[in-house]
């Protein structure tokens, strides 16, 4: 066995090997020494023919905890070696070993399937990147900032392919080097695969981007047999239509082949059925680059870096009640739509639920009865689905049917010839569209078959018995846990042991009680076998009465016990003595003064027949179960399609709830280049202020054809940055298909959102704060289009005032004359206002401070037209607790500087 483990360690040298031995998983050799202490496992020395071998082990039910530590927390690869009963020839080859141990799966951060520690509210993506051939060139200056090097490679195409094994989602996309970092931030893959093409210089640049963003990178050889979409078919639930297949580029196909080759290797022969690849195109959705995702805190907060964490846009708008709905919402928010048709269809649906609370509550109630069918179905497609998951799927299908019926009735009510309340604000079209996308016939038949086949009471009882099985193994595990386990593990084991103690007595009293997970009517064979078993039980009863009369022992019972077999059992001194006086063809198994157990030929024969019948029933139940599994796989496409409809309903209901809670309004989207937002609010800052008992001051924003750029000045802490961010977030929500935090909103479609906010450095990459600021500024000026929306805050603050003013003017000039996009530009360089008089489509707005008696003041967060030439920095310093003496010194210096300052001559303006 130790040699088998060593062989597997050599074969899978990049993995931590966990070897199954009975009820335990064990680590050997250097793996035990290295990972035993990390996992809080005691390292012992196992005696073998070659000497002492380091060993550490843990009970099988701790596997998820171990995998979480190794795979999720430490990003290790883990090979799971299971034991298989050896054939006669196998025993000879292995030197007489009863079991052969083979690696059945390699678990990596990107290839999780159904592990309990997975976040159910997020996808677990595995990404492959493949550069196009012959597109690379060696760029001199290896010490230059990565963005400067990438600028020269910006047009080079890269193929991306990513999937989630837990749901079957599969996507591809073409990007360039300039947008790679943003695509990585949006996809948020747990693991990224590159080919072993070390000779491609572009590969090195890709690797540098991945390392800079701290992605886990794995190298894998490209498999030529997977370099066509038709070769992917065995791993897909359905073929890619020929018309769609022709749209995939060579780099996408190469990336997809690399991805599927890696997955196939890690699954070690485990079946796989993915959804056909969906090709993502840049013009279908709003582009939100990495800096904007981070600066606007769209998916995670800057402070904690928590996905969907408190304070992020995703957290503030999420009201979904299903796990899969939460995953789809995250996808929508990271990829707002550019299609007016899609956006308005989503808004129509939200409007329906906003106006009809009864309908919304009915839908959410039904959604609450569903399970995560995306992941459930995927488990069955990989041959891992269990009986209780069939029941979960049954409940989901039943709820789907009720949802379809509810939508159908509501559609009927809203038809023109039906009576309806406030029909001017409602439309039946969204429900007709959703209802038409639901496929019910096949799944309904499957649900009926599951309900007819599975005995849910028997299933629950069987699960309870399984929890109390294998007492010897659990006892051994308890000893291990007492020495090495955590507090939680010890408490869990105590509960198991107490349950076993309570159940032991009842098990001994009626050892032949059986539970069946399938109904007797599940198949004609089962029905016949159960009838046979009933007859055999009747014969057992008759034999019991017969032997009681023969032996004069009314306490006699017919039993089966492990290690003993089929026995007749008598208890009570009187009955034992009486039975001994009566001659019979029996053989004692065990006897005491008050009990007697013995073998009887009739019971031995009858008991053997009962056992064989039970085995036949178990085999038939397994056949029926496998048949149901296959039925799920046959309905794979329809079940997944229905799941998407349920997720969209969940998001629409959640948006309606959010709108009612927060007073959001329906935005009007159009193809103009205008922003008309009245009473706009920051969706997350508003919530934070309300929790503190403070009110949020709303603001209007009108940028577009008349005033394409707003130049914003004002004091520190007066809300300039909040105003910038809130308008970007309102735009994102509108194109996602949500109502928005405003009194009124009309928004022309935005193709890309760019932000330059906050301050940070990257000293590891030799990038100062100002360099980071300029890199982000360069990306905006190089990429923004007339349909883009740009927010820029404090450009030039990382350098001298003169240089900062110069850079600020240059940015405004470029945005106005070259990019010609909508922009909000906030600054403390008030002198810029005097340099912008010729910018006819630029408006100046500001916030202010209201002075009170005895030096008191309050911020005026409402924007007004004009320029505020005071930042009131000393007021903020006093609020922060800066010593009064330091503030007095600063005031004196400030007055001196102002007295010497001369206005910039307009002649110096380029």
């Amino acid at each position: 066995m130790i040699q088998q483990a060593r062989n597997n360690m050599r074969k899978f040298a990049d993995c931590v090997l966990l070897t199954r031995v009975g009820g335990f998983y064990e680590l050997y050799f250097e793996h035990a020494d290295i990972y035993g202490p990390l996992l809080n496992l005691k390292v012992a020395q196992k005696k073998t023919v070659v000497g002492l071998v380091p060993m550490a082990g843990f009970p099988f039910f701790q596997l998820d905890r171990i995998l979480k530590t190794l795979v999720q927390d430490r990003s290790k690869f883990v090979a799971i070696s299971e034991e298989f009963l050896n054939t006669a020839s196998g025993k000879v080859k292995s030197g007489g070993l009863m079991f052969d141990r083979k690696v059945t799966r390699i678990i990596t951060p990107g290839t999780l399937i159904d592990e309990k520690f997975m976040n159910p509210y997020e996808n677990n993506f595995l990404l492959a990147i493949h550069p196009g051939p012959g597109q690379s060139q060696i760029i001199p200056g290896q010490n230059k900032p990565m963005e400067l090097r990438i600028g020269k490679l910006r047009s080079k195409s890269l193929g991306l392919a990513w999937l989630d094994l837990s749901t079957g989602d599969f996507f591809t996309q073409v990007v360039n080097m300039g947008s790679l970092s943003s695509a990585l931030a949006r996809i948020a893959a747990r693991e990224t695969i590159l080919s072993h093409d070390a000779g491609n210089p572009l590969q090195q640049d890709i690797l540098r981007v991945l390392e800079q963003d701290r992605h886990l990178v794995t190298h894998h050889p490209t498999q030529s047999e997977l370099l066509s979409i038709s070769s992917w078919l065995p791993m897909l639930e359905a073929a890619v239509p020929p018309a769609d297949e022709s749209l995939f580029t060579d780099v996408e196909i190469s990336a997809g082949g690399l991805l599927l080759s890696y997955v196939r290797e890690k699954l070690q022969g485990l079946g796989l059925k993915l959804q056909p690849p969906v090709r993502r195109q840049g013009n279908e959705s709003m582009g939100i680059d990495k800096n904007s995702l981070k600066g606007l805190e769209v998916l995670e907060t800057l402070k904690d870096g928590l996905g969907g964490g408190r304070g992020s846009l995703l957290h503030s708008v999420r009201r979904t009640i299903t796990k899969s709905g939460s995953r789809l919402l995250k996808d929508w928010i990271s990829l707002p739509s550019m299609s007016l048709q899609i956006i308005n269809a989503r808004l129509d649906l939200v409007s329906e639920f906003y106006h009809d609370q009864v309908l919304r509550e009915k839908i959410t109630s039904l959604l609450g009865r569903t399970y995560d069918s995306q992941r459930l179905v995927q488990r069955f497609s990989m041959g891992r689905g269990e009986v209780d998951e069939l029941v979960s799927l049954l409940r989901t299908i039943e709820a789907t049917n009720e949802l379809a019926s509810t939508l159908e009735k509501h559609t009927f009510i809203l038809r023109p010839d039906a009576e309806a309340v406030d029909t001017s604000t409602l439309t039946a079209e969204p429900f007709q569209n959703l209802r038409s996308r639901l496929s019910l016939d096949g799944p309904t038949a499957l649900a009926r078959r599951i309900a007819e086949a599975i005995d849910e009471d028997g299933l629950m009882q069987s699960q309870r018995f399984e929890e109390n099985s294998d007492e010897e193994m659990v006892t051994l595990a308890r000893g291990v846990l007492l020495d090495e386990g955590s507090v939680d593990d010890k408490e869990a084991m105590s509960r198991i042991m107490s349950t076993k103690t309570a159940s032991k007595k009842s098990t001994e009293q009626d050892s032949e009680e059986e539970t069946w997970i399938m109904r007797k009517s599940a198949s004609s064979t089962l029905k016949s076998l159960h009838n046979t078993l009933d007859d055999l039980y009747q014969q057992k009863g008759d034999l019991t009465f017969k032997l009681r009369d023969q032996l004069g022992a009314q306490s006699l019972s017919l039993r089966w016990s492990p290690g003993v077999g089929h026995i007749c059992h008598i208890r009570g001194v009187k009955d034992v003595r009486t039975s001994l006086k009566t001659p019979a063809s029996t053989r004692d198994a065990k006897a005491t003064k008050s009990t007697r157990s013995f073998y009887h030929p009739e019971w031995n024969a009858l008991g053997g027949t009962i056992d064989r019948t039970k085995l036949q029933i178990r085999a038939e139940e397994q056949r029926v179960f496998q048949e149901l599994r296959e039925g799920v796989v046959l309905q794979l496409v329809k079940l997944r399609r229905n799941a998407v409809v349920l997720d969209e309903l969940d998001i629409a209901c959640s948006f309606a709830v959010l709108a009612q809670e927060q007073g959001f309004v329906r935005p009007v989207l159009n193809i103009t280049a205008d922003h008309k937002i009245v009473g706009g609010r920051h969706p997350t800052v508003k919530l934070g202020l309300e929790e503190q008992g403070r009110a949020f001051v709303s603001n209007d924003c009108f940028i577009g054809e008349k005033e394409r750029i707003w130049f914003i000045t004002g004091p520190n802490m007066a809300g300039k940055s909040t105003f910038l961010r809130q308008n970007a977030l309102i735009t994102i929500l509108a194109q996602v298909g949500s109502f928005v935090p405003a009194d009124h909103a009309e928004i022309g479609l935005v193709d890309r959102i760019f932000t330059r906010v906050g301050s940070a450095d990257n000293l590891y990459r030799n990038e100062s704060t100002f360099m980071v600021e300029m890199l982000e500024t360069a990306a905006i000026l190089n990429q923004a289009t007339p349909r883009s929306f740009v927010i820029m805050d404090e450009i030039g603050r990382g350098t001298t005032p003169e240089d900062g003013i110069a850079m600020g003017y240059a940015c405004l000039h470029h945005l106005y004359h070259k990019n010609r996009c909508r922009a909000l530009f906030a600054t403390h360089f008030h002198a810029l206002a005097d340099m912008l008089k010729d910018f006819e489509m630029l408006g100046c707005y500001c916030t202010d401070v209201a002075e009170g008696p005895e030096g008191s003041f309050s911020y005026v967060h409402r924007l007004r037209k004009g320029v505020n030439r005071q930042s009131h920095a000393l007021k903020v310093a006093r609020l922060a607790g800066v010593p009064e003496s330091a503030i007095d010194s600063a005031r004196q210096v400030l007055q001196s500087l102002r007295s010497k300052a001369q206005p910039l001559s307009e002649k110096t303006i380029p």
Side-chain angles (χ1 to χ4, degrees):
M1 184 188 72
I2 296 298
Q3 186 60 52
Q4 289 177 337
R6 175 54 85 183
N7 292 342
N8 283 331
M9 289 174 67
R10 289 169 179 161
K11 184 176 181 181
F12 303 96
D14 59 340
C15 300
V16 181
L17 180 71
L18 303 181
T19 302
R20 183 70 180 256
V21 182
F24 290 81
Y25 284 101
E26 297 181 351
L27 300 91
Y28 302 106
F29 300 105
E30 62 270 21
H31 286 180
D33 288 330
I34 297 172
Y35 300 108
L38 174 67
L39 299 170
N40 293 322
L41 302 178
K42 182 178 180 180
V43 179
Q45 298 295 318
K46 184 179 181 69
K47 293 181 179 180
T48 70
V49 293
V50 295
L52 296 177
V53 172
M55 181 199 76
F58 57 90
F60 74 93
F61 53 78
Q62 284 190 321
L63 179 61
D64 270 317
R65 179 182 73 82
I66 299 299
L67 290 177
K68 180 182 184 303
T69 302
L70 291 174
V71 180
Q72 182 168 327
D73 299 342
R74 301 283 179 165
S75 297
K76 300 295 182 182
F77 293 4
V78 175
I80 304 294
S81 174
E82 299 289 353
E83 55 186 11
F84 298 88
L85 191 63
N86 257 331
T87 61
S89 59
K91 286 183 180 180
V92 173
K93 293 179 181 178
S94 63
L97 290 177
M98 183 177 294
F99 293 100
D100 185 18
R101 289 173 174 82
K102 301 177 183 177
V103 172
T104 58
R105 185 182 163 204
I106 300 171
I107 302 174
T108 73
T111 57
L112 302 177
I113 299 174
D114 54 7
E115 282 65 31
K116 294 178 182 178
F117 55 82
M118 291 178 66
N119 187 342
Y121 301 101
E122 293 185 0
N123 285 103
N124 194 84
F125 283 128
L126 173 69
L127 170 69
I129 305 176
H130 195 279
Q135 294 185 330
S136 307
Q137 56 182 349
I138 298 176
I139 306 297
Q142 297 295 324
N143 294 324
K144 290 182 179 180
M146 191 63 220
E147 286 79 358
L148 295 183
R149 292 168 45 76
I150 287 175
K152 300 182 179 182
L153 297 169
R154 187 171 298 282
S155 62
K156 307 305 180 184
S157 295
L158 307 174
L160 305 184
W162 66 99
L163 59 79
D164 182 348
L165 277 180
S166 70
T167 63
D169 292 320
F170 186 11
F171 303 96
T172 70
Q173 185 177 3
V174 176
V175 300
N176 55 44
M177 279 297 300
S179 59
L180 174 61
S181 186
S182 297
L184 294 173
R186 173 176 51 80
I187 297 169
R190 291 294 315 281
E191 182 182 357
T192 302
I193 310 163
L194 295 177
S195 67
H196 280 307
D197 188 6
N200 190 334
L202 186 55
Q203 186 95 323
Q204 299 303 314
D205 288 297
I206 295 172
L207 188 58
R208 289 189 185 95
V209 172
L210 291 167
E211 290 176 347
Q212 180 174 344
D213 295 335
R214 298 182 180 181
H215 291 274
L216 174 64
V217 179
T218 306
H219 289 87
H220 183 74
T222 303
Q223 300 294 320
S224 58
E225 70 269 18
L226 290 173
L227 294 182
S228 67
I229 292 182
S230 58
S231 65
W232 302 353
L233 186 57
M235 289 172 277
L236 303 179
E237 67 181 19
V240 178
D244 294 340
E245 185 174 337
S246 62
L247 300 176
F248 289 87
T249 63
D250 290 341
V251 287
E252 287 175 288
I253 295 173
S254 297
L258 177 65
L259 180 69
L260 295 179
S261 169
Y262 181 81
V263 168
R264 188 171 61 181
E265 176 187 284
K266 300 309 175 188
L267 294 183
Q268 293 287 299
L270 187 65
L272 175 66
K273 288 295 179 184
L274 299 169
Q275 299 179 53
V278 175
R279 189 169 187 266
R280 289 270 170 90
Q281 300 185 59
N283 58 1
E284 295 177 345
S285 59
M286 175 198 292
I288 309 176
D289 67 359
K290 178 184 71 171
N291 297 323
S292 299
L293 283 173
K294 181 180 179 181
L296 296 174
E297 298 183 309
V298 176
L299 301 177
E300 61 185 26
T301 58
L302 288 171
K303 181 179 180 181
D304 300 321
L306 299 175
R310 187 178 182 83
S312 68
L313 176 66
L314 177 60
H315 178 272
S316 67
V317 303
R318 185 171 59 201
R319 301 293 187 276
T320 47
I321 60 174
T322 67
K323 300 177 179 68
S324 53
S326 296
R327 295 196 298 269
L328 183 62
L329 174 62
K330 181 179 180 181
D331 185 61
W332 281 12
I333 287 180
S334 62
L335 282 172
S337 178
M338 281 293 292
S339 166
L340 282 177
Q341 181 179 0
I342 292 175
I343 295 170
N344 285 323
R346 293 175 181 175
L347 289 171
D348 286 344
L349 202 56
V350 177
S351 180
E352 294 275 0
F353 292 127
Y354 180 87
H355 289 95
D356 194 332
Q357 183 176 350
V358 174
L359 174 66
R360 186 179 74 236
E361 290 176 351
K362 172 68 172 176
I363 296 295
T364 54
S365 174
L366 291 171
L367 288 171
R369 289 164 43 189
T370 66
Y371 292 80
D372 193 345
S373 51
Q374 290 277 18
R375 286 185 168 171
L376 277 177
V377 168
Q378 183 66 2
R379 279 180 52 78
F380 281 101
S381 76
M382 303 181 78
R384 296 168 67 90
E386 300 296 340
V387 179
D388 57 338
E389 290 169 325
L390 282 173
V391 176
S392 298
L393 199 57
L394 164 64
R395 297 288 173 259
T396 301
I397 297 172
E398 290 174 343
T400 303
N401 285 334
E402 290 191 48
L403 280 165
S405 176
T406 301
L407 296 180
E408 186 67 37
K409 291 176 182 178
H410 194 70
T411 301
F412 176 78
I413 292 173
L414 293 177
R415 287 173 183 166
D417 57 347
E419 295 183 3
V421 179
D422 194 16
T423 55
S424 62
T425 62
L426 300 175
T427 169
E429 181 60 33
F431 293 101
Q432 292 174 352
N433 177 46
L434 285 176
R435 178 64 180 82
S436 66
R437 289 167 54 197
L438 288 172
S439 302
L440 300 177
D441 293 343
T444 300
L446 173 64
R448 188 182 307 115
R449 175 65 179 134
I450 293 173
E452 291 172 350
I454 295 179
D455 183 344
E456 293 187 46
D457 291 336
L459 176 60
M460 292 177 63
Q461 191 173 359
S462 175
Q463 289 172 336
R464 286 195 296 268
F465 283 170
E466 286 178 6
E467 292 172 357
N468 298 321
S469 63
D470 221 349
E471 183 175 0
E472 181 179 354
M473 187 281 303
V474 176
T475 302
L476 290 172
R478 183 170 182 265
V480 173
L481 288 178
L482 289 175
D483 292 334
E484 308 168 14
S486 65
V487 174
D488 291 340
D489 290 331
K490 292 176 182 177
E491 290 178 354
M493 181 56 66
S494 297
R495 289 194 295 271
I496 294 174
M497 294 302 294
S498 62
T499 305
K500 292 194 67 61
T501 302
S503 63
K504 182 177 180 181
K505 182 178 179 181
S506 61
T507 304
E508 290 177 350
Q509 288 176 343
D510 191 358
S511 59
E512 294 186 354
E513 181 184 354
E514 291 286 341
T515 59
W516 310 107
I517 59 174
M518 298 294 172
R519 299 181 188 275
K520 296 179 181 180
S521 58
S523 74
S524 57
T525 302
L526 269 181
K527 184 175 182 180
S528 174
L529 287 170
H530 275 289
N531 288 338
T532 300
L533 186 62
D534 290 341
D535 291 340
L536 292 172
Y537 279 144
Q538 182 61 48
Q539 293 178 38
K540 175 186 173 183
D542 294 342
L543 179 60
T544 300
F545 287 118
K546 173 184 172 182
L547 292 177
R548 284 176 179 175
D549 292 339
Q550 284 184 356
L551 301 177
Q554 295 303 308
S555 64
L556 181 142
S557 61
L558 303 182
R559 295 184 177 185
W560 179 88
S561 295
V564 180
H566 295 93
I567 57 173
C568 302
H569 181 77
I570 299 175
R571 69 176 185 273
V573 177
K574 182 179 178 182
D575 282 357
V576 170
R577 290 176 179 175
T578 304
S579 67
L580 292 172
K581 295 177 181 179
T582 305
S585 54
T586 62
R587 177 169 58 88
D588 283 343
K590 184 179 180 181
T592 65
K593 291 182 178 180
S594 59
T595 63
R596 180 190 177 200
S597 297
F598 58 90
Y599 298 102
H600 192 282
E602 288 188 64
W603 172 227
N604 286 343
L606 179 60
T609 305
I610 290 174
D611 288 346
R612 288 189 294 273
T613 305
K614 288 179 180 179
L615 288 175
Q616 291 175 329
I617 292 175
R618 294 290 182 206
E620 178 62 14
E621 283 194 334
Q622 186 61 32
R623 188 197 67 78
V624 172
F625 173 50
Q626 188 59 35
E627 180 185 274
L628 294 174
R629 269 182 165 177
E630 293 170 359
V632 173
V633 175
L634 291 174
Q635 300 300 323
L636 208 57
V637 176
K638 293 181 178 179
L639 290 169
R640 281 175 167 161
R641 188 182 301 150
N642 293 348
V644 173
V645 174
L646 299 187
D647 294 342
E648 292 179 11
L649 280 169
D650 189 14
I651 294 175
C653 288
S654 74
F655 280 164
V657 171
L658 175 70
Q660 287 198 335
E661 284 181 0
Q662 303 298 324
F664 287 12
V665 298
R666 175 172 180 161
V668 177
L669 279 297
N670 53 53
I671 59 173
T672 68
D674 287 342
H675 258 63
K676 298 177 182 178
I677 298 173
V678 179
R681 306 178 293 277
H682 194 295
T684 60
V685 173
K686 177 179 178 292
L687 292 176
L689 289 175
E690 288 176 346
E691 289 179 358
Q692 301 171 31
R694 299 164 60 191
F696 183 90
V697 177
S698 61
N699 268 301
D700 303 338
C701 179
F702 299 98
I703 55 174
E705 294 182 1
K706 292 184 178 180
E707 293 180 340
R708 205 164 53 235
I709 299 177
W710 274 20
F711 178 81
I712 303 168
T713 54
N716 297 104
M717 298 285 292
K720 298 190 302 299
S721 297
T722 298
F723 176 74
L724 267 60
R725 288 176 169 91
Q726 78 185 31
N727 287 288
L729 293 176
I730 288 172
T731 305
I732 291 172
L733 285 177
Q735 291 187 216
V736 165
S738 168
F739 284 21
V740 298
D743 298 331
H744 176 79
E746 293 182 37
I747 299 173
L749 286 178
V750 171
D751 64 351
R752 300 190 69 175
I753 279 184
F754 293 96
T755 65
R756 159 79 285 281
V757 296
S759 63
D761 55 30
N762 190 349
L763 299 181
Y764 178 73
R765 292 291 173 185
N766 196 28
E767 296 171 5
S768 67
T769 301
F770 186 66
M771 172 57 81
V772 171
E773 179 184 321
M774 288 298 100
L775 289 171
E776 295 176 1
T777 300
I780 294 173
L781 300 184
N782 285 320
Q783 299 177 48
T785 72
R787 190 163 286 283
S788 299
F789 182 52
V790 173
I791 64 172
M792 303 187 80
D793 192 13
E794 305 294 350
I795 291 296
R797 65 174 156 190
T799 185
T800 66
E802 293 80 5
D803 287 348
I805 291 173
M807 281 307 307
Y809 177 83
C811 289
L812 284 165
H813 187 277
H814 199 283
L815 290 172
Y816 188 89
H817 293 287
K818 303 293 185 182
N819 304 108
R820 303 182 66 82
C821 59
R822 288 163 277 182
L824 299 176
F825 189 99
T827 183
H828 287 288
F829 294 141
H830 313 123
L832 282 172
D834 301 321
M835 305 167 67
L836 303 172
K837 293 179 180 179
D838 294 335
F839 290 38
E840 295 179 357
M841 298 181 66
L842 180 146
C844 293
Y845 294 84
C846 64
T847 55
D848 210 340
V849 163
E851 302 281 357
E854 299 180 359
S856 64
F857 70 95
S858 62
Y859 290 111
V860 179
H861 297 286
R862 183 86 63 186
L863 263 71
R864 62 175 175 83
K865 202 164 182 64
V867 178
N868 191 327
R869 297 182 182 273
Q870 294 190 44
S871 294
H872 297 279
L874 302 189
K875 291 182 172 63
V876 177
R878 179 177 281 111
L879 288 176
V882 174
E884 197 63 34
S885 58
I887 291 176
D888 290 339
S889 297
R891 184 180 296 108
Q892 293 173 13
V893 172
L894 182 60
Q895 290 173 352
S896 175
L897 291 173
R898 284 175 177 172
S899 64
K900 297 178 182 178
Q902 298 294 330
L904 286 169
S905 172
E906 293 186 7
K907 295 181 181 179
T908 63
I909 301 173

